[in-house]
Amino acid sequence: ALIGSAAGFAPAQNKAATTSLNAFENELGAQPPLGFFDPLGLLDDADQERFDRLRYVELKHGRISQLAFLGQITTRAGVRLPGDIDYSGTSFGDIGEGWSGSLQVPVAGALQILAFVGFLELGVMKDIEGTGNEHVGDFRNGALDYGWDTFDEETKLSKRAIELNNGRAAMMGILGLMVHEQLGGDLPIVGSM
């Protein structure tokens, strides 16, 4: 009876799962401590094209989140553009920070921002086939380089992993700032919400 009850605490023998997810276990971004992490099953039975599309979206949202997080920190530190945002004399300094500040932007200014983002989305930030782009999210399109071609393959892979991780961290960071803005209180570095 004693041996039978002790067997309940023995480690279970786990079989290696064979799923379509194994195809993406070695992709960039599947790194410790989580490894390949797809809790919602977005890549169940997915092909490479689906994976590339989701990676493209992840990179784009990561880049936007990095800008949003730095924008939050910068405006909360008191750094503002000089001058007025409209002809009625509303200065940039009169606009608040964070989500509440975005709702204080005059309609004409919000439309200009929307038009500019649409222009970037449709005309500039595109992954154009046949222009020498090396990976998903490479927007050089044969025009920009900034020394990328001077790096060896290991350095390029490292820099891409760093960008991916920084984007993931920024997505969590801006989400946290938006939640804390609604909750109120004080945060280190950011200050009063």
Side-chain angles (χ1 to χ4, degrees), residues 128 130-133 138-145 149:
I128 301 172
T131 56
N133 296 346
D138 181 2
F139 293 150
R140 293 178 299 150
N141 298 325
L144 301 173
D145 185 8
D149 292 331

Side-chain angles (χ1 to χ4, degrees), residues 121-135:
E121 184 73 22
L122 298 174
V124 179
M125 300 297 182
K126 297 173 76 171
D127 216 350
I128 301 172
E129 296 279 332
T131 56
N133 296 346
E134 296 179 18
H135 52 82

Side-chain angles (χ1 to χ4, degrees), residues 11-26:
Q13 298 296 324
N14 292 332
K15 275 185 165 177
T18 56
T19 65
S20 62
L21 297 180
N22 289 341
F24 305 113
E25 284 180 343
N26 295 321

Side-chain angles (χ1 to χ4, degrees), residues 106-169:
V107 173
L111 290 174
Q112 289 176 34
I113 293 169
L114 185 65
F116 181 66
V117 169
F119 165 74
L120 289 176
E121 184 73 22
L122 298 174
V124 179
M125 300 297 182
K126 297 173 76 171
D127 216 350
I128 301 172
E129 296 279 332
T131 56
N133 296 346
E134 296 179 18
H135 52 82
V136 174
D138 181 2
F139 293 150
R140 293 178 299 150
N141 298 325
L144 301 173
D145 185 8
Y146 300 116
W148 180 258
D149 292 331
T150 62
F151 298 131
D152 59 33
E153 290 306 312
E154 184 179 338
T155 303
K156 288 180 181 181
L157 198 60
S158 171
K159 289 187 175 294
R160 289 179 54 211
I162 290 168
E163 179 191 18
L164 193 58
N165 282 330
N166 286 345
R168 290 171 176 172

Side-chain angles (χ1 to χ4, degrees), residues 31-54:
Q31 42 204 34
L34 296 178
F36 181 77
F37 186 65
D38 183 29
L40 299 178
L42 296 174
L43 292 172
D44 289 349
D45 301 321
D47 57 1
Q48 188 66 41
E49 183 179 344
R50 171 85 173 141
F51 178 83
D52 288 345
R53 172 68 183 144
L54 291 174

